[in-house]
Amino acid sequence: MSDGQPLYNVFEIISKKRDGLQLTQEEIKYMISGYVEDSIPDYQISSLLMAIYLNGLNHREMTELTEIMKHSGDIISLSTIPGKKIDKHSTGGVGDKISLIVAPLVAACGVKVPMLSGRALGHTGGTLDKLESIPGMNVFLTIDHFKQILKDVGMVISGQTENIVPADRKLYALRSATATIGSIPLITASIMSKKLALETDGIVLDVKTGSGAFMRNLEDAITLCQTMVAVGEKSGRPTIGLITNMDQPLGAAVGNSLEVIESIETLKGNGPQDVVTVTFGLAASMLMAAGVEKSYEQAIKKLKTVLKSGKPLEYFKRFISAQGGDAAICTDYLLLPQSKIKQEIKAHEEGYISKIDTLEVGLAANELGVGRVKREDKIDHSTGFTFHKKVGDRINQGDIILTIHSNSQSNIKSIGKRLRKAIALNNEKVPKPKTIMFLVDKNGIKEWPGN
Ligand code: URA
């Protein structure tokens, strides 16, 4: 690292951030490349991460950290592929299957959708696991294959290769071990470096808030969204963010093949209202980021017409086939993994559902094998829940609140108990919660105009 570059003093850089001072671009670069190249040890980077956690980074530092992390590995250029290309990222939630719906919908509008997605981790689901419930589906493509499918089909979804932002892989592991995950500047650099490494024409962010979200409270979700939008824009990439509700599972289905079915039903025009609202919101933002629509209202009108035409389902089928999957699942759901046991959970009392502890729902789903507790855990693609009632719904004694899909009788009782506890009832009528709260773009924050 000393070839022609000044040799910085790591101790002094850490001290500067500890004392609340700003780091220069060269100092940030020195620390990150030193860490990636193993010339700066974990204990010194841990100390810097904690100083950042406590004292933050300003927008300049954050944009520079993001760019430096982005350049730690491969950059995927999409310049040889004609047309606008827009990516969508969600901060994660329970029942969040929107990528599976939004990608073919936007592709059917003529805007290409390349997505590098993740697996389930913690209580939140992962797009790759949902897709892997489709027999034959390949979700780990080479970069060339990724580009070819994007060009031929108009959409593609794959896992990240090892070489995309290797700095984040190392830093994230260290943050997990040093209680520095929950830092908005570090989360921003982590997410945006990966988004920017894929050279799209724009990024749309779905920042979730509520009991099942990474950002549980609204203020933090707004700050994270504004920060990511600012860094995206500063890096020259049109970026739009929506703040959406994760205070209850999204849609009725939680679980891999169950969510694939719900996605297909949404593409057939039979989606649950909240899934449809978030899909139209994000898809409209993608069309706006691509510059192909003049207003959100107009974009939503167009999306409704395109969804009705049936074209997005045809795109989804072509996408499945291109990635080696069996597109016949779109007409025959029995080709997807099925659980052996379906246990209905009925209401013991009457009232209005006032709250669903969505973190608890995600954790209970993991007990069924929907997600992972540890990275190496095996997934059961057939299991999960179907919610028949959501927040604001009236329930009478004996009504079915949800169905548990399981392959083992042994834990159904305890999971049922856990879910009953997660669902609160109220005697008074409870309003249906807003699905999309705010829109954040380069002009600032405003109420979602599509409500
Ligand atoms: N997701 C990421 O990719 N990085 C973070 O730091 C947090 C969530």
Side-chain angles (χ1 to χ4, degrees):
M1 267 205 312
S2 56
D3 314 345
Q5 284 183 38
L7 206 50
Y8 290 91
N9 186 326
V10 173
F11 183 91
E12 277 171 17
I13 295 174
I14 297 169
S15 310
K16 252 178 111 174
K17 195 35 80 185
R18 178 202 62 198
D19 296 341
L21 301 174
Q22 292 175 22
L23 303 181
T24 65
Q25 182 179 26
E26 291 72 27
E27 287 166 336
I28 299 170
K29 186 154 194 256
Y30 185 77
M31 295 300 281
I32 299 301
S33 38
Y35 185 49
V36 172
E37 291 160 11
D38 287 329
S39 60
I40 301 178
D42 275 1
Y43 57 82
Q44 285 184 306
I45 299 296
S46 303
S47 187
L48 179 69
L49 290 172
M50 186 57 81
I52 293 174
Y53 181 94
L54 296 171
N55 290 325
L57 296 175
N58 67 17
H59 275 161
R60 182 211 30 97
E61 291 174 296
M62 242 183 305
T63 306
E64 287 169 359
L65 173 62
T66 305
E67 283 293 322
I68 289 162
M69 286 174 63
K70 165 185 145 180
H71 287 286
S72 67
D74 291 345
I75 304 291
I76 305 180
S77 164
L78 302 174
S79 60
T80 55
I81 298 164
K84 292 279 186 182
K85 286 126 315 201
I86 307 290
D87 188 6
K88 191 271 307 175
H89 175 83
S90 160
T91 55
V94 178
D96 183 4
K97 70 277 295 170
I98 302 298
S99 293
L100 273 55
I101 313 161
V102 103
L105 177 57
V106 170
C109 295
V111 171
K112 294 194 169 72
V113 185
M115 283 189 188
L116 290 174
S117 297
R119 289 203 178 280
L121 197 61
H123 70 283
T124 62
T127 299
L128 299 184
D129 297 307
K130 296 177 215 281
L131 287 174
E132 277 186 338
S133 55
I134 301 171
M137 200 73 184
N138 175 12
V139 293
F140 283 97
L141 306 171
T142 62
I143 292 177
D144 284 345
H145 199 186
F146 180 86
K147 289 186 192 175
Q148 193 59 48
I149 294 175
L150 181 64
K151 196 170 174 187
D152 295 346
V153 181
M155 66 169 285
V156 60
I157 304 178
S158 176
Q160 256 180 229
T161 66
E162 290 280 316
N163 267 339
I164 296 170
V165 195
D168 182 61
R169 217 173 287 275
K170 257 188 117 172
L171 285 169
Y172 195 87
L174 196 56
R175 286 168 58 207
S176 302
T178 56
T180 50
I181 289 280
S183 146
I184 285 181
L186 295 176
I187 297 169
T188 298
S190 167
I191 293 176
M192 293 306 287
S193 59
K194 290 175 283 191
K195 293 291 109 188
L196 292 165
L198 181 63
E199 291 192 326
T200 55
D201 300 295
I203 299 167
V204 169
L205 302 165
D206 179 4
V207 179
K208 303 213 167 280
T209 182
S211 59
F214 195 61
M215 290 287 132
R216 290 176 74 93
N217 80 59
L218 182 60
E219 288 71 32
D220 288 345
I222 290 174
T223 307
L224 177 63
C225 191
Q226 287 176 317
T227 311
M228 291 200 292
V229 168
V231 167
E233 290 283 342
K234 257 198 154 137
S235 303
R237 200 76 62 89
T239 307
I240 298 172
L242 295 187
I243 312 277
T244 70
N245 189 327
M246 190 34 71
D247 235 350
Q248 61 176 336
L250 190 52
V254 176
N256 298 293
S257 60
L258 295 169
E259 290 188 50
V260 170
I261 295 170
E262 190 165 87
S263 302
I264 298 166
E265 282 301 310
T266 307
L267 290 169
K268 288 178 180 172
N270 310 318
Q273 194 49 54
D274 56 351
V275 170
V276 173
T277 302
V278 178
T279 299
F280 282 153
L282 291 167
S285 305
M286 291 167 84
L287 299 183
M288 292 293 283
V292 299
E293 289 295 332
K294 290 208 162 49
S295 73
Y296 285 89
E297 291 81 355
Q298 226 174 291
I300 290 175
K301 216 167 141 191
K302 169 163 183 177
L303 290 162
K304 285 184 178 167
T305 310
V306 171
L307 185 64
K308 264 205 190 117
S309 74
K311 232 167 113 181
L313 182 62
E314 293 312 309
Y315 273 76
F316 190 61
K317 288 182 187 167
R318 262 186 268 156
F319 149 73
I320 293 175
S321 302
Q323 294 197 199
D326 183 1
I329 58 130
C330 295
T331 38
D332 184 358
Y333 297 148
L334 292 175
L335 294 171
L336 288 163
Q338 309 284 318
S339 70
K340 288 199 227 82
I341 304 161
K342 291 171 181 48
Q343 174 76 50
E344 291 170 344
I345 301 293
K346 293 185 178 168
H348 289 163
E349 351 161 46
E350 58 175 39
Y352 293 89
I353 298 186
S354 60
K355 223 173 161 179
I356 300 180
D357 182 338
T358 313
L359 171 62
E360 266 301 289
V361 174
L363 295 173
N366 280 354
E367 278 194 55
L368 292 170
V370 169
R372 293 177 183 79
V373 180
K374 296 188 291 319
R375 214 172 267 275
E376 58 280 8
D377 285 349
K378 260 201 143 357
I379 293 266
D380 185 336
H381 291 101
S382 69
T383 55
F385 309 124
T386 309
F387 281 82
H388 306 288
K389 304 281 180 188
K390 303 274 296 273
V391 173
D393 285 344
R394 161 97 198 155
I395 53 173
N396 294 312
Q397 227 179 39
D399 280 354
I400 304 164
I401 308 175
L402 62 104
T403 304
I404 302 176
H405 303 254
S406 174
N407 284 314
S408 153
Q409 201 56 258
S410 66
N411 55 2
I412 284 199
K413 221 168 162 185
S414 67
I415 289 174
K417 237 178 170 173
R418 192 169 181 176
L419 289 172
R420 272 183 203 286
K421 253 191 168 162
I423 298 171
L425 293 186
N426 198 332
N427 288 332
E428 304 292 316
K429 207 168 172 4
V430 174
K432 290 255 176 203
K434 256 191 185 167
T435 309
I436 305 177
M437 284 101 152
F438 295 105
L439 164 73
V440 178
D441 64 13
K442 62 175 190 271
N443 301 315
I445 180 164
K446 58 179 177 193
E447 293 258 339
W448 169 239
N451 280 327

